[in-house]
Amino acid sequence: MSYGALGLVEVLGSCNAVVVLDQMLKTSEVEFRTWHTKCGGHATVFLSGDVAAVKAAIDAVKGNPPCEIVAAAVISAPSEETSRLVEEEEAKHRK
């Protein structure tokens, strides 16, 4: 699948990930793709949409953070390999 842009936001805690995701979904026309958790309680939320929408969603949580944002990024026109990694993570959560 081809994405206009991917947005990633890393926070501490699953609850914070849900709060951040909710704020981003309410901000602009983006779609939740998946999330990834790792040791230490870090959670990364992945979303997609056109570049402007993803940037607006990321900027909204960075500008008015509901919690501490560890890292955030917008990847415009992600490579096939990057898209594949997101799709593999999505597939893990569908099981």
Side-chain angles (χ1 to χ4, degrees):
M1 176 180 278
S2 175
Y3 304 104
L6 284 174
L8 298 86
V9 177
E10 183 177 346
V11 297
L12 284 172
S14 298
C15 290
N16 285 335
V18 172
V19 172
V20 164
L21 175 62
D22 183 64
Q23 184 175 337
M24 291 188 296
L25 292 172
K26 289 175 179 175
T27 299
S28 63
E29 194 65 34
V30 292
E31 184 177 345
F32 170 65
R33 303 310 313 177
T34 190
W35 70 337
H36 178 77
T37 57
K38 48 187 172 171
C39 294
H42 288 252
T44 305
V45 176
F46 295 78
L47 54 99
S48 66
D50 65 48
V51 176
V54 171
K55 184 166 177 13
I58 298 291
D59 287 347
V61 295
K62 286 172 60 180
N64 185 23
C67 61
E68 180 184 353
I69 306 297
V70 175
V74 175
I75 303 171
S76 60
S79 69
E80 273 186 45
E81 183 68 13
T82 302
S83 296
R84 184 182 62 77
L85 292 171
V86 172
E87 289 164 10
E88 286 175 1
E89 194 65 31
E90 283 179 300
K92 289 180 193 176
H93 292 281
R94 283 191 214 123
K95 291 181 179 180

Coordinates of all heavy atoms in Angstrom, one line a residue:
M1 N 0.8 -1.2 0.0 CA 0.0 0.0 0.0 C 0.9 1.2 0.0 O 1.9 1.3 0.6 CB -0.9 0.0 1.2 CG -1.7 1.2 1.4 SD -2.8 1.2 2.9 CE -4.1 0.2 2.2
S2 N 0.5 2.3 -0.7 CA 1.2 3.5 -0.8 C 0.5 4.5 0.1 O -0.7 4.7 0.2 CB 1.2 4.0 -2.2 OG 1.8 5.2 -2.3
Y3 N 1.4 5.2 0.9 CA 0.9 6.3 1.8 C 1.3 7.6 1.3 O 2.5 7.8 0.9 CB 1.4 6.1 3.2 CG 1.1 4.7 3.8 CD1 2.0 3.7 3.9 CD2 -0.2 4.4 4.2 CE1 1.8 2.5 4.4 CE2 -0.5 3.2 4.8 CZ 0.5 2.2 4.9 OH 0.2 1.0 5.4
G4 N 0.5 8.7 1.4 CA 1.0 10.0 1.2 C 2.0 10.4 2.2 O 3.1 10.9 1.9
A5 N 1.7 10.1 3.4 CA 2.6 10.3 4.5 C 2.3 9.4 5.7 O 1.2 9.0 5.9 CB 2.5 11.8 5.0
L6 N 3.3 9.2 6.5 CA 3.2 8.4 7.7 C 3.6 9.4 8.9 O 4.5 10.1 8.7 CB 4.1 7.2 7.8 CG 3.7 6.0 7.0 CD1 4.9 5.0 7.0 CD2 2.4 5.4 7.5
G7 N 2.8 9.3 9.9 CA 3.1 10.0 11.1 C 3.4 9.1 12.3 O 2.7 8.1 12.4
L8 N 4.4 9.4 13.1 CA 4.8 8.6 14.2 C 4.9 9.4 15.4 O 5.5 10.5 15.4 CB 6.1 7.9 14.0 CG 6.2 6.9 12.8 CD1 6.6 7.6 11.6 CD2 7.3 5.9 13.1
V9 N 4.3 9.0 16.5 CA 4.4 9.7 17.8 C 4.7 8.7 18.9 O 4.0 7.7 19.0 CB 3.1 10.5 18.2 CG1 3.3 11.2 19.5 CG2 2.8 11.5 17.1
E10 N 5.8 8.9 19.6 CA 6.2 8.0 20.7 C 5.9 8.7 22.0 O 6.3 9.9 22.2 CB 7.7 7.7 20.6 CG 8.1 6.7 21.6 CD 9.6 6.3 21.5 OE1 10.2 6.6 20.4 OE2 10.1 5.7 22.4
V11 N 5.3 8.0 22.9 CA 5.0 8.4 24.3 C 5.3 7.4 25.3 O 5.6 6.2 24.9 CB 3.5 8.8 24.4 CG1 3.1 10.0 23.5 CG2 2.6 7.6 24.1
L12 N 5.2 7.7 26.5 CA 5.4 6.7 27.6 C 4.0 6.2 28.0 O 3.2 7.1 28.5 CB 6.1 7.3 28.8 CG 7.6 7.4 28.6 CD1 8.2 8.2 29.8 CD2 8.3 6.1 28.5
G13 N 3.7 5.0 27.9 CA 2.4 4.4 28.4 C 1.4 4.2 27.3 O 1.2 5.1 26.4
S14 N 0.7 3.1 27.4 CA -0.4 2.8 26.4 C -1.6 3.8 26.6 O -2.2 4.2 25.6 CB -0.9 1.4 26.7 OG 0.1 0.5 26.4
C15 N -1.9 4.2 27.8 CA -3.0 5.1 28.0 C -2.7 6.5 27.3 O -3.5 7.1 26.6 CB -3.3 5.4 29.4 SG -4.0 4.0 30.3
N16 N -1.4 6.9 27.4 CA -1.0 8.2 26.8 C -1.1 8.0 25.2 O -1.4 9.0 24.5 CB 0.4 8.6 27.2 CG 0.4 9.2 28.6 OD1 -0.6 9.7 29.1 ND2 1.5 9.1 29.3
A17 N -0.7 6.8 24.7 CA -0.8 6.6 23.3 C -2.3 6.8 22.8 O -2.5 7.4 21.7 CB -0.3 5.2 22.9
V18 N -3.2 6.3 23.6 CA -4.6 6.4 23.2 C -5.1 7.8 23.2 O -5.7 8.3 22.3 CB -5.5 5.5 24.1 CG1 -7.0 5.8 23.8 CG2 -5.2 4.0 23.9
V19 N -4.6 8.6 24.2 CA -5.0 10.0 24.3 C -4.4 10.8 23.2 O -5.1 11.6 22.6 CB -4.6 10.6 25.7 CG1 -4.8 12.1 25.8 CG2 -5.3 9.9 26.8
V20 N -3.2 10.6 22.9 CA -2.5 11.2 21.7 C -3.2 10.9 20.4 O -3.5 11.8 19.6 CB -1.0 10.9 21.7 CG1 -0.4 11.2 20.4 CG2 -0.3 11.6 22.8
L21 N -3.5 9.6 20.2 CA -4.2 9.2 19.0 C -5.5 9.9 18.9 O -5.9 10.4 17.8 CB -4.3 7.6 19.0 CG -5.1 7.1 17.9 CD1 -4.5 7.4 16.5 CD2 -5.3 5.6 18.0
D22 N -6.3 9.9 20.0 CA -7.6 10.5 19.9 C -7.5 12.0 19.5 O -8.2 12.5 18.6 CB -8.3 10.4 21.3 CG -9.6 11.0 21.3 OD1 -10.5 10.5 20.6 OD2 -9.8 12.0 22.0
Q23 N -6.5 12.7 20.1 CA -6.3 14.1 19.7 C -6.0 14.3 18.2 O -6.5 15.2 17.6 CB -5.2 14.7 20.6 CG -5.1 16.2 20.3 CD -4.1 16.9 21.3 OE1 -3.8 16.3 22.4 NE2 -3.5 18.0 20.9
M24 N -5.1 13.4 17.7 CA -4.7 13.5 16.3 C -5.9 13.2 15.4 O -6.0 13.9 14.4 CB -3.5 12.6 16.0 CG -2.2 13.1 16.7 SD -0.8 12.1 16.2 CE -1.1 10.5 16.8
L25 N -6.7 12.2 15.7 CA -7.8 11.8 14.9 C -8.8 12.9 14.8 O -9.5 13.1 13.8 CB -8.4 10.5 15.3 CG -7.6 9.3 15.1 CD1 -8.2 8.1 15.8 CD2 -7.3 9.0 13.6
K26 N -9.0 13.7 15.9 CA -9.9 14.8 16.0 C -9.4 16.0 15.3 O -10.2 16.9 15.0 CB -10.3 15.1 17.4 CG -11.1 14.0 18.1 CD -11.3 14.3 19.6 CE -12.1 13.3 20.3 NZ -12.2 13.5 21.7
T27 N -8.1 16.1 15.1 CA -7.5 17.3 14.5 C -7.6 17.4 13.0 O -7.9 18.4 12.4 CB -6.0 17.4 14.9 OG1 -5.9 17.4 16.3 CG2 -5.3 18.6 14.3
S28 N -7.4 16.2 12.3 CA -7.3 16.3 10.9 C -7.8 14.9 10.3 O -7.9 13.9 11.0 CB -6.0 16.7 10.3 OG -5.0 15.7 10.7
E29 N -7.9 14.9 9.0 CA -8.3 13.7 8.3 C -7.2 12.7 8.1 O -6.5 12.6 7.1 CB -8.9 14.1 6.9 CG -9.7 13.0 6.2 CD -11.0 12.6 7.0 OE1 -11.6 13.5 7.6 OE2 -11.3 11.5 6.9
V30 N -6.9 12.0 9.2 CA -5.8 10.9 9.2 C -6.4 9.6 9.6 O -7.5 9.6 10.2 CB -4.7 11.3 10.2 CG1 -3.9 12.5 9.7 CG2 -5.1 11.6 11.6
E31 N -5.7 8.6 9.4 CA -6.2 7.2 9.7 C -5.2 6.5 10.6 O -4.0 6.5 10.3 CB -6.4 6.4 8.4 CG -7.0 5.0 8.6 CD -7.2 4.3 7.3 OE1 -7.2 4.9 6.3 OE2 -7.4 3.1 7.4
F32 N -5.7 5.9 11.7 CA -4.8 5.1 12.6 C -4.4 3.9 11.8 O -5.2 3.2 11.2 CB -5.6 4.8 13.8 CG -4.9 3.7 14.7 CD1 -3.7 4.0 15.3 CD2 -5.4 2.5 14.9 CE1 -3.1 3.1 16.1 CE2 -4.8 1.5 15.7 CZ -3.6 1.9 16.3
R33 N -3.1 3.6 11.8 CA -2.6 2.4 11.2 C -2.3 1.3 12.2 O -2.8 0.2 12.0 CB -1.3 2.7 10.4 CG -1.3 3.8 9.4 CD -2.4 3.7 8.3 NE -2.6 2.4 7.7 CZ -3.5 2.1 6.9 NH1 -4.4 3.0 6.5 NH2 -3.6 0.9 6.4
T34 N -1.5 1.6 13.2 CA -1.1 0.6 14.1 C -0.4 1.3 15.3 O -0.2 2.5 15.3 CB -0.2 -0.6 13.5 OG1 -0.1 -1.6 14.4 CG2 1.1 0.0 13.1
W35 N 0.1 0.5 16.3 CA 1.0 1.0 17.3 C 1.9 -0.1 17.7 O 1.7 -1.3 17.4 CB 0.2 1.5 18.5 CG -0.5 0.6 19.3 CD1 -1.0 -0.7 19.0 CD2 -1.0 0.8 20.7 NE1 -1.6 -1.3 20.1 CE2 -1.6 -0.4 21.1 CE3 -0.9 1.8 21.5 CZ2 -2.2 -0.5 22.4 CZ3 -1.4 1.7 22.8 CH2 -2.0 0.6 23.2
H36 N 3.0 0.3 18.3 CA 4.1 -0.6 18.7 C 4.5 -0.2 20.1 O 4.7 0.9 20.4 CB 5.3 -0.4 17.7 CG 6.4 -1.3 18.0 ND1 6.4 -2.7 17.8 CD2 7.6 -1.1 18.7 CE1 7.6 -3.2 18.2 NE2 8.3 -2.2 18.7
T37 N 4.6 -1.2 20.9 CA 5.0 -1.0 22.3 C 6.4 -1.7 22.5 O 6.7 -2.7 21.8 CB 4.0 -1.6 23.3 OG1 3.8 -3.0 23.1 CG2 2.7 -0.8 23.3
K38 N 7.2 -1.2 23.4 CA 8.5 -1.8 23.7 C 8.8 -1.7 25.1 O 8.1 -1.0 25.9 CB 9.6 -1.2 22.8 CG 9.6 0.3 22.7 CD 10.6 0.8 21.7 CE 10.5 2.3 21.6 NZ 11.5 2.9 20.8
C39 N 9.8 -2.3 25.5 CA 10.2 -2.4 26.9 C 10.4 -0.9 27.5 O 10.7 0.0 26.7 CB 11.6 -3.1 27.1 SG 11.5 -4.8 26.7
G40 N 10.1 -0.8 28.7 CA 10.2 0.5 29.3 C 8.9 1.3 29.2 O 8.9 2.5 29.7
G41 N 7.9 0.7 28.6 CA 6.6 1.4 28.6 C 6.4 2.4 27.4 O 5.4 3.0 27.3
H42 N 7.4 2.4 26.5 CA 7.2 3.3 25.3 C 6.2 2.7 24.3 O 6.2 1.5 24.1 CB 8.6 3.5 24.6 CG 9.6 4.3 25.4 ND1 9.9 5.6 25.0 CD2 10.2 4.0 26.5 CE1 10.8 6.1 25.8 NE2 11.0 5.2 26.8
A43 N 5.4 3.6 23.8 CA 4.4 3.2 22.8 C 4.5 4.2 21.6 O 4.6 5.4 21.8 CB 3.0 3.2 23.3
T44 N 4.6 3.7 20.4 CA 4.6 4.5 19.2 C 3.4 4.3 18.4 O 3.0 3.2 18.1 CB 5.8 4.1 18.3 OG1 7.0 4.2 19.1 CG2 5.9 5.1 17.1
V45 N 2.7 5.4 18.1 CA 1.4 5.4 17.3 C 1.8 5.7 15.9 O 2.5 6.7 15.6 CB 0.4 6.4 17.9 CG1 -0.8 6.5 17.0 CG2 0.1 6.1 19.3
F46 N 1.2 5.0 14.9 CA 1.4 5.2 13.5 C 0.1 5.6 12.9 O -0.9 5.0 13.1 CB 1.9 3.9 12.8 CG 3.2 3.4 13.2 CD1 3.4 2.7 14.4 CD2 4.3 3.6 12.4 CE1 4.6 2.2 14.8 CE2 5.6 3.1 12.8 CZ 5.7 2.4 14.0
L47 N 0.2 6.7 12.1 CA -1.0 7.1 11.4 C -0.7 7.5 9.9 O 0.5 7.7 9.6 CB -1.7 8.3 12.1 CG -0.9 9.5 12.4 CD1 -1.2 10.6 11.4 CD2 -1.3 10.0 13.8
S48 N -1.7 7.6 9.1 CA -1.4 7.9 7.7 C -2.4 8.9 7.2 O -3.5 9.1 7.8 CB -1.4 6.7 6.8 OG -2.7 6.1 6.7
G49 N -2.1 9.5 6.0 CA -3.0 10.4 5.4 C -2.2 11.3 4.4 O -1.0 10.9 4.1
D50 N -2.8 12.3 3.9 CA -2.0 13.1 3.0 C -1.0 13.9 3.9 O -1.2 14.0 5.1 CB -2.8 14.0 2.1 CG -3.6 15.1 2.8 OD1 -3.1 15.8 3.7 OD2 -4.8 15.2 2.5
V51 N 0.0 14.5 3.2 CA 1.1 15.1 4.0 C 0.6 16.2 4.9 O 1.0 16.3 6.1 CB 2.2 15.6 3.0 CG1 3.3 16.4 3.8 CG2 2.8 14.5 2.2
A52 N -0.3 17.1 4.4 CA -0.8 18.2 5.2 C -1.5 17.8 6.4 O -1.4 18.3 7.5 CB -1.6 19.1 4.3
A53 N -2.4 16.7 6.2 CA -3.2 16.2 7.3 C -2.3 15.6 8.4 O -2.6 15.8 9.6 CB -4.2 15.2 6.8
V54 N -1.4 14.8 8.0 CA -0.5 14.1 8.9 C 0.3 15.2 9.7 O 0.5 15.1 10.9 CB 0.4 13.1 8.3 CG1 1.5 12.6 9.2 CG2 -0.4 11.9 7.7
K55 N 0.9 16.2 8.9 CA 1.6 17.2 9.6 C 0.8 18.0 10.6 O 1.2 18.3 11.7 CB 2.2 18.2 8.5 CG 3.1 19.2 9.1 CD 3.9 19.9 8.1 CE 4.8 21.0 8.6 NZ 5.0 21.2 10.0
A56 N -0.5 18.3 10.2 CA -1.4 19.0 11.1 C -1.6 18.2 12.4 O -1.7 18.7 13.5 CB -2.7 19.3 10.4
A57 N -1.8 16.9 12.3 CA -2.1 16.0 13.4 C -0.9 16.0 14.3 O -1.0 16.1 15.6 CB -2.5 14.6 12.9
I58 N 0.3 15.8 13.8 CA 1.5 15.8 14.6 C 1.8 17.1 15.3 O 2.1 17.2 16.4 CB 2.7 15.4 13.7 CG1 2.6 14.0 13.1 CG2 4.0 15.5 14.5 CD1 2.6 12.8 14.1
D59 N 1.6 18.2 14.5 CA 1.8 19.5 15.1 C 0.8 19.8 16.2 O 1.2 20.5 17.2 CB 1.7 20.6 14.0 CG 2.8 20.7 13.0 OD1 3.9 20.0 13.3 OD2 2.7 21.3 12.0
A60 N -0.4 19.3 16.1 CA -1.4 19.5 17.1 C -1.0 18.9 18.5 O -1.1 19.5 19.5 CB -2.8 18.9 16.7
V61 N -0.4 17.7 18.4 CA 0.0 17.1 19.7 C 1.3 17.6 20.2 O 1.5 17.6 21.4 CB 0.0 15.5 19.7 CG1 -1.4 15.0 19.4 CG2 1.0 15.0 18.7
K62 N 2.1 18.1 19.3 CA 3.4 18.7 19.7 C 3.1 20.1 20.3 O 3.7 20.5 21.3 CB 4.4 18.8 18.6 CG 5.0 17.5 18.2 CD 5.8 17.5 17.0 CE 7.0 18.4 17.0 NZ 7.8 18.4 15.8
G63 N 2.2 20.8 19.7 CA 1.8 22.2 20.2 C 1.0 22.3 21.4 O 1.1 23.2 22.2
N64 N 0.2 21.2 21.7 CA -0.7 21.2 22.8 C -0.7 19.7 23.3 O -1.7 19.0 23.3 CB -2.1 21.6 22.5 CG -3.0 21.7 23.7 OD1 -2.6 21.8 24.8 ND2 -4.3 21.6 23.4
P65 N 0.5 19.3 23.9 CA 0.6 17.9 24.2 C -0.2 17.5 25.4 O -0.2 18.2 26.5 CB 2.1 17.7 24.5 CG 2.6 19.1 24.9 CD 1.7 20.1 24.1
P66 N -1.0 16.4 25.3 CA -1.7 15.9 26.4 C -0.9 15.1 27.4 O -1.3 14.8 28.5 CB -2.8 15.0 25.8 CG -2.1 14.5 24.5 CD -1.2 15.6 24.1
C67 N 0.4 14.8 27.0 CA 1.3 14.1 27.8 C 2.7 14.4 27.2 O 2.8 15.1 26.2 CB 1.0 12.6 27.8 SG 1.1 11.9 26.2
E68 N 3.7 13.8 27.9 CA 5.1 14.0 27.3 C 5.2 13.3 26.0 O 5.0 12.1 25.9 CB 6.1 13.5 28.3 CG 7.5 13.7 27.8 CD 8.6 13.1 28.7 OE1 8.3 12.7 29.8 OE2 9.7 13.1 28.3
I69 N 5.6 14.0 25.0 CA 5.9 13.4 23.7 C 7.4 13.1 23.6 O 8.2 14.0 23.7 CB 5.6 14.4 22.5 CG1 4.1 14.8 22.6 CG2 5.9 13.7 21.2 CD1 3.1 13.8 22.5
V70 N 7.8 11.8 23.5 CA 9.2 11.4 23.5 C 9.8 11.8 22.1 O 10.9 12.3 22.1 CB 9.3 9.9 23.8 CG1 10.8 9.5 23.7 CG2 8.8 9.6 25.2
A71 N 9.1 11.5 21.1 CA 9.5 11.7 19.7 C 8.3 11.8 18.8 O 7.3 11.2 19.0 CB 10.5 10.7 19.2
A72 N 8.5 12.5 17.7 CA 7.4 12.6 16.7 C 8.1 12.9 15.3 O 9.1 13.6 15.2 CB 6.5 13.7 17.0
A73 N 7.5 12.3 14.3 CA 8.0 12.5 12.9 C 7.0 12.4 11.9 O 5.9 11.7 12.1 CB 9.1 11.4 12.7
V74 N 7.2 13.0 10.8 CA 6.3 12.9 9.6 C 7.2 12.4 8.5 O 8.3 13.0 8.2 CB 5.7 14.2 9.2 CG1 4.9 14.1 7.9 CG2 4.8 14.7 10.3
I75 N 6.8 11.3 7.8 CA 7.6 10.8 6.7 C 6.7 10.9 5.5 O 5.7 10.2 5.3 CB 7.9 9.3 6.9 CG1 8.7 9.1 8.2 CG2 8.7 8.8 5.7 CD1 8.9 7.6 8.6
S76 N 7.1 11.9 4.6 CA 6.3 12.0 3.4 C 6.8 11.0 2.3 O 8.0 10.7 2.2 CB 6.4 13.4 2.8 OG 7.7 13.8 2.5
A77 N 5.8 10.5 1.6 CA 6.1 9.5 0.5 C 7.1 8.4 1.0 O 8.2 8.2 0.5 CB 6.7 10.2 -0.7
P78 N 6.6 7.6 2.1 CA 7.5 6.6 2.6 C 7.9 5.6 1.6 O 7.1 5.3 0.7 CB 6.7 6.0 3.8 CG 5.3 6.4 3.5 CD 5.3 7.6 2.7
S79 N 9.1 5.0 1.8 CA 9.6 4.0 0.8 C 8.7 2.7 0.9 O 8.0 2.5 1.9 CB 11.0 3.6 1.1 OG 11.1 3.0 2.4
E80 N 8.8 1.9 0.0 CA 8.1 0.6 0.0 C 8.5 -0.2 1.2 O 7.6 -0.8 1.8 CB 8.4 -0.2 -1.3 CG 7.6 0.1 -2.4 CD 7.9 -0.9 -3.6 OE1 8.0 -2.1 -3.4 OE2 8.0 -0.4 -4.7
E81 N 9.7 -0.2 1.6 CA 10.2 -1.0 2.7 C 9.6 -0.4 4.0 O 9.1 -1.2 4.9 CB 11.7 -0.9 2.8 CG 12.3 -1.8 4.0 CD 12.1 -3.3 3.8 OE1 11.8 -3.7 2.7 OE2 12.3 -4.0 4.8
T82 N 9.5 0.9 4.2 CA 8.9 1.5 5.3 C 7.4 1.1 5.4 O 6.9 0.8 6.5 CB 9.1 3.0 5.3 OG1 10.5 3.3 5.3 CG2 8.5 3.7 6.6
S83 N 6.8 1.2 4.3 CA 5.3 0.9 4.2 C 5.1 -0.6 4.6 O 4.2 -0.9 5.3 CB 4.8 1.1 2.8 OG 4.8 2.5 2.5
R84 N 6.0 -1.4 4.1 CA 5.9 -2.9 4.5 C 6.1 -3.1 6.0 O 5.3 -3.9 6.6 CB 7.0 -3.7 3.7 CG 6.9 -5.2 3.9 CD 7.9 -5.9 3.2 NE 9.3 -5.6 3.6 CZ 9.8 -6.1 4.8 NH1 9.1 -6.9 5.6 NH2 11.0 -5.7 5.1
L85 N 7.0 -2.4 6.6 CA 7.2 -2.5 8.0 C 5.9 -2.2 8.8 O 5.5 -2.8 9.8 CB 8.3 -1.7 8.5 CG 9.7 -2.1 8.1 CD1 10.8 -1.1 8.4 CD2 10.1 -3.5 8.6
V86 N 5.2 -1.1 8.4 CA 4.0 -0.7 9.0 C 2.9 -1.8 8.8 O 2.2 -2.1 9.7 CB 3.5 0.7 8.5 CG1 2.1 1.0 9.0 CG2 4.5 1.8 8.9
E87 N 2.8 -2.3 7.6 CA 1.8 -3.3 7.3 C 2.1 -4.6 8.1 O 1.1 -5.2 8.5 CB 1.8 -3.6 5.8 CG 1.2 -2.4 5.0 CD 1.5 -2.5 3.5 OE1 2.0 -3.5 3.0 OE2 1.3 -1.4 2.9
E88 N 3.3 -4.9 8.3 CA 3.6 -6.1 9.1 C 3.2 -5.9 10.6 O 2.7 -6.8 11.2 CB 5.1 -6.4 9.0 CG 5.5 -7.0 7.7 CD 7.0 -7.3 7.6 OE1 7.8 -7.0 8.6 OE2 7.5 -7.7 6.6
E89 N 3.4 -4.7 11.1 CA 3.0 -4.4 12.4 C 1.4 -4.4 12.5 O 0.9 -4.9 13.5 CB 3.5 -3.0 12.9 CG 3.5 -2.8 14.3 CD 4.3 -3.7 15.2 OE1 5.4 -4.2 14.7 OE2 3.9 -4.0 16.3
E90 N 0.8 -3.9 11.5 CA -0.7 -4.0 11.5 C -1.2 -5.4 11.5 O -2.1 -5.7 12.2 CB -1.2 -3.3 10.2 CG -1.2 -1.8 10.2 CD -1.7 -1.2 8.9 OE1 -1.2 -1.5 7.8 OE2 -2.7 -0.5 8.9
A91 N -0.5 -6.2 10.7 CA -1.0 -7.7 10.7 C -0.8 -8.4 12.0 O -1.7 -9.2 12.4 CB -0.1 -8.4 9.6
K92 N 0.2 -8.0 12.8 CA 0.4 -8.6 14.1 C -0.8 -8.3 15.0 O -1.2 -9.1 15.8 CB 1.6 -8.1 14.8 CG 2.9 -8.5 14.2 CD 4.1 -7.9 15.0 CE 5.4 -8.1 14.3 NZ 6.5 -7.4 15.0
H93 N -1.4 -7.1 14.9 CA -2.5 -6.7 15.7 C -3.9 -7.2 15.3 O -4.8 -7.2 16.0 CB -2.5 -5.2 15.9 CG -1.4 -4.6 16.6 ND1 -1.3 -4.6 18.0 CD2 -0.2 -4.1 16.2 CE1 -0.2 -4.1 18.4 NE2 0.5 -3.8 17.3
R94 N -3.9 -7.7 14.1 CA -5.2 -8.3 13.5 C -5.4 -9.7 14.0 O -6.5 -10.2 13.8 CB -5.2 -8.2 12.0 CG -5.5 -6.8 11.5 CD -5.7 -6.9 10.0 NE -5.2 -5.6 9.4 CZ -4.4 -5.6 8.5 NH1 -3.9 -6.7 7.9 NH2 -3.9 -4.4 8.0
K95 N -4.4 -10.4 14.4 CA -4.5 -11.8 14.8 C -5.3 -12.0 16.0 O -5.5 -11.2 16.9 CB -3.1 -12.4 15.0 CG -2.3 -12.5 13.7 CD -1.0 -13.1 14.0 CE -0.2 -13.2 12.7 NZ 1.1 -13.8 12.9

